[in-house]
Amino acid sequence: DIQMTQSPSSLSASVGDRVTITCRASQSISTYLNWYQQKPGKAPKVLIYVASSLQSGVPSRFSGSGSGTDFTLTISSLQPEDFATYYCQQSYNIPWTFGQGTKVEIE
Amino acid sequence: QLLLQESGPGLVKPSETLSLTCTVSGGSISSSSFYWAWIRQPPGKGLEYIGSLYSGGNTYYTPSLKSRVSTSVDTSKNQFSLNLTSVTAADTAVYFCARARQSYSSSWFETWGQGTLVTVSS
């Protein structure tokens, strides 16, 4: 299985901050990397697919980059509704695997 | 608007079989370019892919669960199902069904059900 490692596991930030979350794959996965946001008690919601494509309806303050083994999710200006847990997921090989999550909390 | 809804028992006894159904509305389960998937999340933990099935019949399962998992599609009811045998407390989780879009040779979980908590306990 391809292991996905996110960093940090959690972070505290303020409204308006620029936030960056990193995801590293245990082997090259090209750009087969997706990002999800999950709020407590809710299903995850896709934000970014194929590393950098913004899902329809997702605010443009979210962006993704990277290829190979290293990927980044950036929130350019954190909004109150962005406090949540974020997961990366690879779709290069089955079983598709997720990172352990990054919890974004209010500072 | 595509909606997915999980249903099934919320409590299953150890060693028994967990059975869940996902009902799809607002779209056909026979649509091409999509996988239908099951994902679970133990309480307070991260997401685990269980398996997926293609409308053409292909199925894929995560190796750690492969010996205990089966899935099926009922196109007449627009539903797909999950069976997980010989459950233990470690199988306690929120179970999500999802539709994965396939494009650019990649796939992503585009639409999710709300999830259903299944507790394994005697």
Side-chain angles (χ1 to χ4, degrees):
Chain A
D1 299 5
I2 297 175
Q3 306 302 314
M4 307 301 293
T5 304
Q6 291 181 231
S7 61
S9 295
S10 64
L11 65 90
S12 296
S14 300
V15 173
D17 284 353
R18 181 181 182 88
V19 170
T20 298
I21 299 169
T22 297
C23 178
R24 174 164 288 177
S26 60
Q27 67 179 73
S28 177
I29 58 171
S30 184
T31 57
Y32 296 158
L33 190 284
N34 310 309
W35 289 98
Y36 301 85
Q37 176 194 68
Q38 186 180 32
K39 296 182 178 179
K42 300 293 186 181
K45 165 189 166 183
V46 64
L47 302 174
I48 302 286
Y49 60 92
V50 196
S52 60
S53 295
L54 190 67
Q55 174 72 5
S56 176
V58 173
S60 59
R61 62 181 180 272
F62 292 93
S63 64
S65 64
S67 65
T69 60
D70 295 317
F71 301 87
T72 299
L73 173 70
T74 300
I75 309 172
S76 60
S77 177
L78 197 65
Q79 297 302 300
E81 60 268 30
D82 301 337
F83 292 97
T85 300
Y86 294 83
Y87 294 93
C88 62
Q89 174 247 329
Q90 64 82 19
S91 59
Y92 182 79
N93 267 350
I94 286 179
W96 297 329
T97 45
F98 293 87
Q100 82 279 15
T102 295
K103 187 174 184 178
V104 176
E105 300 176 297
I106 301 173
E107 187 166 49
Chain B
Q1 180 190 3
L2 185 78
L3 293 176
L4 282 66
Q5 178 69 59
E6 305 88 352
S7 59
L11 181 64
V12 181
K13 290 182 168 56
S15 79
E16 295 190 344
T17 297
L18 180 160
S19 296
L20 295 174
T21 296
C22 183
T23 301
V24 179
S25 58
S28 173
I29 202 167
S30 300
S31 298
S32 59
S33 300
F34 297 110
Y35 285 95
W36 303 94
W38 290 98
I39 299 138
R40 69 180 182 179
Q41 185 171 37
K45 296 188 178 180
L47 299 163
E48 179 184 26
Y49 166 80
I50 299 172
S52 54
L53 60 164
Y54 194 57
S55 60
N58 292 342
T59 57
Y60 308 94
Y61 304 127
T62 194
S64 63
L65 297 174
K66 189 174 183 178
S67 63
R68 299 193 291 129
V69 170
S70 64
T71 55
S72 61
V73 173
D74 186 336
T75 54
S76 67
K77 295 182 179 179
N78 227 31
Q79 295 175 334
F80 62 104
S81 299
L82 169 72
N83 282 331
L84 181 65
T85 63
S86 304
V87 297
T88 70
D91 295 310
T92 294
V94 174
Y95 286 75
F96 295 99
C97 61
R99 186 180 81 169
R101 179 177 291 274
Q102 190 179 18
S103 185
Y104 308 107
S105 300
S106 185
S107 302
W108 57 96
F109 300 114
E110 182 183 57
T111 308
W112 296 66
Q114 65 184 26
T116 187
L117 174 63
V118 179
T119 301
V120 178
S121 175
S122 55

